[in-house]
Amino acid sequence: MPHPGVPHSWFRNKDGLGLWEGRGKVVATGVGTSPTARRWDEKPETSMGALTIIAIRKAIADAGISPDEIDGLVLTPESTTGVSNDPKTPPPPGWEKHFKMASFPQAGITRGDIDWLLLNTPELKNVKFMMNGAMCMSVSFVAAAEAVARGLTQTCLVVRGWHNLAGRYYVGVGASALNTASGPFKYSSIWGLPACGTTAMVFEEYCRKYGKSHDQMANFVVTQRRNGLMNPDGFYSQHRPEMITVEDYLTARWIAKPANIYDNDLPIMAALAVVFTTPERAKNHKQKPVYILSHGQTRPEMMGVTPTLEKWEQATDRMGRILYEGSGVGPDDLSFENMYDGFTLFHQFHLEGLRYAARGEKRGYALDLYETDISIEGPNPVSPSGGNNGNGRTRWWNHRDTILQLQGRSPSQIRKKAEIGVSGAPMPDICDALIWSATPPV
Amino acid sequence: MIYLLSFDIDGTMEFGDPAGGVTVEMVRRAKELGFIVGSCSDRFPSWQKKAWDSYGVAVDFWVPKHMLLDVKTRFQADRYVHIGDRDIDRQLAEKVGFHFWWDHEAVAEPWLAWLTDQR
């Protein structure tokens, strides 16, 4: 059964909307994270769907509530940015012994599916509100926030799983495997531009404009890995507890110069579920409520087939304005920022759009900031989650950690008091972000 | 004759991710027989060294995948070989004049035949 997407009118995507009507009416409480793996081993019990069910059950347990109380489910169905099976591919042998089958044969394997999830989590018997937040879990967080604020659901799960099949992730698959290219790809993809290529070009433009260099990224990348290795749920802490050095980073192989291999994030298997509810109901939840103050959205205004520095700066500036206008807070109120980092070379666009730790500057300061103390112990924690770069590709470590930071229980807890944080993903010009607070707005 | 063997890790070595068919014992044997051995991988070089140390193999080099030319400059040898599991391994090896073996070819330790040929 098809489920609705998020109504366009729910997104805050322009200036002048004022304070968000739902400000302080929605909170996050329980968080559930599945185990991680590098690739799927084709066993039903380690599938993306299985991981999603694990995450859901952990989130409900973490919130300390009964599954009966869940009356909403918002899911991001896309579970990769890389390769998927043909949608008609039947499940592997033995699948039906583990899971009830939905009409879509790849449900739980290479695509999230609300019907499949509900069939296989029979304890969720009171779910009435269902919605798909397309593309990124950021969209699902916004959808769930609006749904709770509008009274469409009282206690809502926000869910996303990621799959990673054996073999190559991008190279030689999907459109790249075809003999012809069509649509915008006939201009942008036929020369084999790797995924980070666009980001690399805009980063190069950034460095030229502001007189910066790729070497200035080193401390950020090292700090990302350090933060990620503190997270027991992250891929690297679970499977590759290896710390990167500045020298490792500076000598790394170029993928699309000036993006090197460690500027790219590693595809993994993982799932996250978070419980959203009203402040009133959260009084009965085990975890401290984290208030959503507002949200914002940007979408690209392309002038060609690739973005430009100007467009990314305009988009992230607009995101900053929308978030601060809706939430009633400003850059100086942020205790930390947890914007997206997969690829590392665009994180500074998000950061500068928010004017995070700007000290009066507007643009071109972030790489200098990276060379200061941006650790969780320092005055300006940058991406304390460790992000995709420090934990593996999910696009949600940043959101998850923002909630945990404001609850005071992050494994990479910042040393100063965590009062207000921001998280958003993915790209500088295709982004949904939220401002969160440890306390209700005054 | 001096021979140099460079090993990729992921998909090639038994301790890679994914695991490959080349064992630590094969590398250790090559080292003991006088080959210059090391790794050339996309894993952090600092970690490569720690990994070899943990297996008790005193490798001669541990470098990023694109630095085979640097290895060639540092070590004089009569034959240079890189062993890997991806097209990028082959591409980078052949670009700097290394012979290339796929991981599945290397599990037979074909380099040992060179010692026989030498006699």
Side-chain angles (χ1 to χ4, degrees):
Chain A
M1 177 172 57
H3 295 287
V6 189
H8 291 301
S9 61
W10 286 16
F11 295 111
R12 297 176 61 85
N13 50 17
K14 58 187 175 188
D15 294 305
L17 294 175
L19 283 176
W20 178 43
E21 296 84 347
R23 181 171 171 259
K25 296 178 183 172
V26 189
V27 297
T29 58
V31 174
T33 314
S34 77
T36 65
R38 176 74 173 96
R39 295 181 180 86
W40 186 34
D41 58 10
E42 303 208 5
K43 294 176 182 167
E45 61 269 31
T46 54
S47 63
M48 179 273 296
L51 298 182
T52 305
I53 293 170
I54 290 171
I56 286 174
R57 289 176 173 152
K58 287 175 77 172
I60 293 170
D62 189 54
I65 59 175
S66 162
D68 294 353
E69 295 177 59
I70 302 293
D71 66 354
L73 176 59
V74 180
L75 170 80
T76 299
E78 296 88 353
S79 55
T80 185
T81 54
V83 66
S84 281
N85 292 329
D86 183 291
K88 294 174 185 166
T89 306
W95 183 260
E96 69 284 355
K97 291 179 189 161
H98 282 79
F99 301 116
K100 292 182 178 172
M101 301 287 287
S103 56
F104 181 57
Q106 283 289 299
I109 299 174
T110 58
R111 190 170 174 86
D113 186 281
I114 289 175
D115 295 328
W116 183 89
L117 271 178
L118 293 178
L119 273 174
N120 290 288
T121 47
E123 67 271 34
L124 296 179
K125 49 194 177 210
N126 291 324
V127 173
K128 306 286 190 305
F129 176 82
M130 291 165 267
M131 185 171 275
N132 284 320
M135 182 193 66
C136 187
M137 195 171 186
S138 308
V139 175
S140 290
F141 280 124
V142 169
E146 283 286 343
V148 173
R150 291 164 187 259
L152 300 174
T153 164
Q154 298 294 307
T155 304
C156 183
L157 282 167
V158 193
V159 179
R160 187 175 195 186
W162 282 83
H163 77 262
N164 186 28
L165 304 178
R168 307 308 300 270
Y169 190 76
Y170 283 132
V171 180
V173 299
S176 304
L178 302 176
N179 292 327
T180 58
S182 59
F185 298 112
K186 65 188 172 190
Y187 302 110
S188 61
S189 297
I190 56 174
W191 309 115
L193 187 74
C196 64
T198 301
T199 298
M201 287 191 282
V202 183
F203 179 82
E204 178 73 10
E205 208 179 342
Y206 174 93
C207 288
R208 285 185 190 168
K209 179 174 180 179
Y210 299 111
K212 307 301 174 190
S213 77
H214 180 264
D215 287 3
Q216 292 182 274
M217 292 292 298
N219 186 46
F220 173 63
V221 172
V222 169
T223 305
Q224 285 289 78
R225 183 56 61 97
R226 176 177 183 254
N227 292 344
L229 288 176
M230 295 180 199
N231 173 18
D233 294 316
F235 171 80
Y236 290 112
S237 68
Q238 291 180 350
H239 303 284
R240 294 186 188 177
E242 304 154 15
M243 188 59 197
I244 188 172
T245 66
V246 169
E247 187 181 359
D248 291 333
Y249 180 71
L250 296 181
T251 58
R253 178 162 68 89
W254 299 120
I255 299 299
K257 193 176 180 179
N260 74 27
I261 193 165
Y262 305 135
D263 291 314
N264 288 257
D265 48 332
L266 191 77
I268 60 168
M269 303 276 302
L272 176 72
V274 176
V275 175
F276 274 21
T277 191
T278 63
E280 189 60 32
R281 286 186 179 243
K283 289 175 184 169
N284 298 320
H285 288 214
K286 195 166 73 179
Q287 302 300 343
K288 183 178 181 293
V290 174
Y291 294 80
I292 298 174
L293 298 186
S294 194
H295 58 84
Q297 181 182 78
T298 57
R299 289 294 181 266
E301 298 171 354
M302 299 287 277
M303 295 174 68
V305 293
T306 58
T308 61
L309 174 64
E310 181 187 12
K311 287 296 175 188
W312 275 12
E313 292 190 334
Q314 285 175 0
T316 46
D317 278 350
R318 190 164 67 249
M319 176 61 86
R321 291 195 306 270
I322 291 170
L323 284 175
Y324 293 138
E325 182 183 1
S327 63
V329 303
D332 294 341
D333 296 309
L334 295 179
S335 310
F336 60 92
E337 64 81 32
N338 254 328
M339 297 299 285
Y340 190 56
D341 70 322
F343 309 106
T344 62
L345 300 188
F346 61 55
H347 185 78
Q348 83 279 3
F349 294 110
H350 288 301
L351 189 152
E352 291 181 359
L354 292 164
R355 307 290 189 263
Y356 178 72
R359 296 166 295 186
E361 297 181 77
K362 290 183 178 176
R363 283 287 172 189
Y365 71 89
L367 269 59
D368 294 330
L369 178 68
Y370 286 173
E371 293 185 303
T372 68
D373 183 0
I374 56 170
S375 73
I376 58 171
E377 294 87 0
N380 302 306
V382 168
S383 189
S385 70
N388 274 26
N389 199 253
N391 294 282
R393 170 172 290 192
T394 65
R395 293 184 176 167
W396 46 244
W397 297 110
N398 53 338
H399 296 296
R400 170 190 182 270
D401 183 65
T402 299
I403 297 166
L404 298 178
Q405 290 282 349
L406 295 169
Q407 290 174 326
R409 58 174 179 146
S410 168
S412 51
Q413 187 70 36
I414 62 170
R415 295 300 180 264
K416 69 179 186 182
K417 191 174 180 187
E419 294 178 294
I420 293 177
V422 59
S423 60
M427 303 293 286
D429 59 346
I430 310 172
C431 187
D432 288 84
L434 303 97
I435 297 245
W436 315 70
S437 173
T439 54
V442 287
Chain B
M1 300 282 274
I2 301 171
Y3 307 113
L4 183 145
L5 300 176
S6 159
F7 296 89
D8 170 46
I9 293 178
D10 292 329
T12 299
M13 292 303 306
E14 61 176 331
F15 58 87
D17 179 10
V22 179
T23 65
V24 170
E25 201 46 48
M26 292 175 190
V27 178
R28 194 194 317 276
R29 184 157 41 241
K31 173 74 179 172
E32 288 169 359
L33 289 169
F35 288 78
I36 299 168
V37 298
S39 53
C40 181
S41 159
D42 281 331
R43 289 293 190 94
F44 305 145
S46 59
W47 176 82
Q48 293 180 43
K49 175 69 164 66
K50 286 177 190 166
W52 289 117
D53 286 349
S54 74
Y55 291 109
V57 181
V59 291
D60 299 292
F61 58 91
W62 50 92
V63 297
K65 194 170 275 189
H66 63 297
M67 292 185 69
L68 277 175
L69 183 60
D70 180 68
V71 171
K72 199 172 186 180
T73 306
R74 282 167 55 198
F75 298 97
Q76 286 297 311
D78 298 289
R79 282 189 188 179
Y80 298 89
V81 180
H82 178 63
I83 294 129
D85 70 320
R86 291 286 169 96
D87 290 337
I88 189 74
D89 288 291
R90 181 175 191 164
Q91 179 188 340
L92 293 172
E94 293 181 349
K95 185 178 174 185
V96 296
F98 273 56
H99 184 71
F100 177 76
W101 274 320
W102 293 104
D103 53 307
H104 57 84
E105 295 174 314
V107 295
E109 299 176 84
W111 49 84
L112 296 180
W114 295 347
L115 301 178
T116 312
D117 296 344
Q118 203 175 301
R119 287 188 197 120

